Amino acid sequence: MTGVPGGTGVGWRSGIAAVLDDVDGLAFHEVVAESLHPDAVPASLLRRPVVVHGVRLSPGSPEGVDPGRVAHLAACAAATGAALVSEHIAFTRAGGVEAGHLLPLPRTREALDVLVANVAATRPELDVPLALEPIAALFDWPDDEFDEAEFLHRLHDRTGAPLLLDIANTYVNARNRGRDPRADVDALLTGLPPGAVAYCHVAGHAADATGLLHDTHTDPGPDAVLALLTHTVAQLPVPPPVMLERDGRYPPAAELCAELDAVAAAAGHASPCRTGADSGHGAGTVTAPAADGTGTT
């Protein structure tokens, strides 16, 4: 068990904190570790259970994880009483060079060994479970030995680490490669034991001039992603916790609440915005803070 409360959550961002304070039915917040100082945790964040989400640990780096970054994740988890820490199946640095973005791993035995070793080095420093998120990637390495589902199955078999399944990432990756997103979900979930999915992300995307889809977090989640969420939930024995990611270009409060309610409905959860327009959400506005974290998550 990961300890993430069931229901619908949202990524906590300072620009929408005041609006989120008024949404009584939210189950949890996720906070980006790199945006948080453990000695100055905002009171608004602590109104609900917390998941700490890292973006710069770089568990795919052959040189190993940075002890300082591991310590920061642990300190953030302790300061917020987090139920879970999550990170990405990716690397952000190699050879001492910081890329500033989440980069995909080659799905090879060697890369899997590196990832397993770095997970093993990280977990003893944390007092809570560590979940791992497959990223949205615009390319695959030419020397891949496994498809994504087999790679993730092998990772789970060797580490026991639960997955943070980003529905938007799954949708974007499948569409960009000409595959059926539902078939990709089915391939991933088939063979995973119950409880292997800790929670899910939902976010929006946008297409570039070439038609490639990019995971943006600045657009509302489209109906196709919500439909994929419903399909995913139907494959699992218990509806997982689901979290909306928004990073910048925040809509008016009423629109944000409508988006949260749409995510909850797609996941089979109760509406987080229980009182709807009568609560005064429609009168609020949200402001855009500086970007949190590295790339999209």
Side-chain angles (χ1 to χ4, degrees), residues 127-205:
D127 292 330
V128 295
L130 173 66
L132 300 172
E133 177 187 357
I135 67 169
L138 292 176
F139 66 91
D140 297 308
W141 295 96
D143 54 351
D144 283 351
E145 299 173 47
F146 312 111
D147 63 23
E148 184 169 49
E150 187 176 6
F151 188 81
L152 294 175
H153 288 175
R154 288 172 179 260
L155 175 63
H156 187 270
D157 287 345
R158 292 180 59 180
T159 65
L163 290 178
L164 161 50
L165 181 56
D166 191 309
I167 305 301
N169 289 354
T170 302
Y171 181 85
V172 165
N173 287 342
R175 285 287 308 275
N176 285 342
R177 290 158 178 79
R179 300 195 302 258
D180 177 3
R182 292 191 177 200
D184 278 11
V185 165
D186 294 345
L188 172 58
L189 295 182
T190 299
L192 283 179
V197 176
Y199 68 116
C200 296
H201 278 173
V202 174
H205 61 258

Side-chain angles (χ1 to χ4, degrees), residues 13 30 32-34 53-61 69 73 86-94 97-106 115 131-141 164 166 169 173 177 201 214-217 245 247 292-297:
R13 305 292 187 263
E30 182 194 79
V32 175
E34 287 74 12
H53 188 55
V55 298
R56 293 179 182 165
L57 181 63
S58 195
S61 292
R69 298 183 188 191
L73 285 175
S86 56
E87 249 290 355
H88 297 85
I89 301 171
F91 69 98
T92 62
R93 71 181 186 283
V97 177
E98 294 284 344
H101 201 80
L102 299 166
L103 298 172
L105 295 175
L115 187 57
L132 300 172
E133 177 187 357
I135 67 169
L138 292 176
F139 66 91
D140 297 308
W141 295 96
L164 161 50
D166 191 309
N169 289 354
N173 287 342
R177 290 158 178 79
H201 278 173
H214 295 261
D215 178 44
T216 63
H217 299 182
E245 291 185 288
D247 290 287
D292 292 322
T294 298
T296 54
T297 60

Side-chain angles (χ1 to χ4, degrees), residues 1 29 36 39 66 68 75 88 100 122 133 156 162 169 200 250 282:
M1 299 296 291
H29 287 312
L36 185 65
D39 294 330
D66 182 325
H88 297 85
T122 301
E133 177 187 357
H156 187 270
N169 289 354
C200 296
Y250 301 119

Side-chain angles (χ1 to χ4, degrees), residues 99-125:
H101 201 80
L102 299 166
L103 298 172
L105 295 175
R107 292 189 289 268
T108 62
R109 289 173 174 82
E110 183 178 8
L112 181 61
D113 288 343
V114 167
L115 187 57
V116 169
N118 286 338
V119 170
T122 301
R123 288 201 299 194
E125 306 303 316

